[in-house]
Amino acid sequence: MLRLFAEGEQMMSMPEITIVPDMAALSRAGTDEIVRCAKERIAARGRFTIALSGGSTPQGAHALLAQQKDLLWERIYVFFGDERHVPPDDKQSNYRAARESLLSKIPIPSENVHRIPAELDAPVAAQQYEDDLRKFFQLPPGEWPRFDLIMLGMGPDGHTASLFPNTRALNENSRWVVANRVEKLNTWRITFTFPLINHAAEILYLVAGDDKAEVLRDVLEGQKSDAYPTQRVQPVNGKLMWIIERGAARLLTQR
Ligand code: 6PG
């Protein structure tokens, strides 16, 4: 696909797209990429920072990751890219899902797991989580943290993390984490902002489901538009990788 760039529009790294036959293959490929990245970062820098995504798609990869015996979990720091505005034991909680599919099954020190305190008032939870990230990354003012890996999913409406169409968080340019009112779900979410996401060294999308095929085609092969927040995920200086299950990829023309 030839895509023309407007004057001044930054040339971004082309996404790496892998299409796999089914969910089992998606979970396997996702786990292999996480493990590859973790080993590389720990060997190079002594630690690996990862932000998990919510939703159902990554749970299979979490389960496979939990069976991985040769990872130095004491060198791995787990964060969350977004959270529903619920307590940690709620069945809607991304933290709870990750705890059940991964965190409760691995020898990771509890202080290495940074959950979003979503039981608090949403703006307070967002601020506390941003403070937690700032304390962890210890950066000079104005600098963005560089996660080694941020995992993301995409919803059928083109949302990613909890950056939904027509919501205020889409235009946040200075905060790392914000509370985002999602009227169509009549709820708040706590989410990483685009600048934080786009400063990651690697962004890994796991996407599955026939119901996402049209939006995914538009996101990956269509013109840039504000309709789909996922289109605004463009690493500033990093790798963008998509692992896509065949059903979700069925309308892609380049595969
Ligand atoms: C969340 C997620 C969200 C998710 C997509 C895809 O908290 O819901 O972070 O962005 O990744 O909605 O969800 P599924 O994997 O369940 O399709």
Side-chain angles (χ1 to χ4, degrees), residues 166-215:
N166 310 313
T167 59
R168 285 183 61 158
L170 298 178
N171 302 312
E172 178 56 52
N173 287 318
S174 58
R175 293 284 307 273
W176 297 8
V177 183
V178 292
N180 195 25
R181 179 72 192 165
V182 185
E183 283 308 339
K184 70 175 182 182
L185 300 179
N186 188 23
T187 188
W188 285 91
R189 292 282 189 99
I190 297 104
T191 184
F192 280 4
T193 59
F194 281 124
L196 173 57
I197 291 170
N198 286 332
H199 278 82
E202 179 169 337
I203 295 168
L204 174 61
Y205 269 97
L206 301 182
V207 178
D210 285 18
D211 60 337
K212 298 174 182 171
E214 283 180 26
V215 170

Side-chain angles (χ1 to χ4, degrees), residues 3-24:
R3 178 138 168 251
L4 301 175
F5 287 87
E7 183 68 30
E9 183 180 354
Q10 199 179 344
M11 279 283 283
M12 301 289 179
S13 57
M14 291 304 283
E16 215 181 287
I17 298 174
T18 304
I19 295 166
V20 294
D22 52 33
M23 277 307 289

Side-chain angles (χ1 to χ4, degrees), residues 23 52-59 81-84 92-94 151-157 159-164 185 189-191 205-209 211-212:
M23 277 307 289
L52 302 178
S53 76
S56 55
T57 307
Q59 302 311 323
D82 73 321
E83 186 57 281
R84 291 87 183 270
Q92 283 291 314
S93 165
N94 288 339
M151 296 185 63
L152 290 173
M154 186 194 81
D157 61 357
H159 80 261
T160 193
S162 281
L163 297 161
F164 285 80
L185 300 179
R189 292 282 189 99
I190 297 104
T191 184
Y205 269 97
L206 301 182
V207 178
D211 60 337
K212 298 174 182 171

Side-chain angles (χ1 to χ4, degrees), residues 28-48:
R28 182 72 266 162
T31 304
D32 292 349
E33 179 58 16
I34 296 165
V35 170
R36 182 203 64 74
C37 194
K39 289 180 175 175
E40 181 205 274
R41 306 311 301 170
I42 291 170
R45 297 185 45 235
R47 75 175 191 187
F48 175 60

Side-chain angles (χ1 to χ4, degrees), residues 68-142:
Q68 193 76 28
K69 295 295 171 241
D70 59 352
L71 275 178
L72 299 173
W73 289 107
E74 67 278 12
R75 300 285 188 84
I76 296 180
Y77 298 86
V78 176
F79 296 81
F80 290 81
D82 73 321
E83 186 57 281
R84 291 87 183 270
H85 192 214
V86 293
D89 291 324
D90 188 284
K91 62 182 185 333
Q92 283 291 314
S93 165
N94 288 339
Y95 168 72
R96 174 177 164 173
R99 187 185 64 211
E100 290 173 355
S101 59
L102 172 64
L103 301 170
S104 61
K105 299 177 176 167
I106 54 176
I108 190 167
S110 57
E111 62 272 19
N112 287 23
V113 177
H114 296 252
R115 110 179 142 77
I116 297 176
E119 66 276 14
L120 305 175
D121 199 36
V124 175
Q127 186 59 59
Q128 281 202 11
Y129 202 56
E130 181 163 327
D131 296 345
D132 183 8
L133 291 176
R134 286 184 184 279
K135 188 158 159 261
F136 179 86
F137 283 101
Q138 298 282 324
L139 295 169

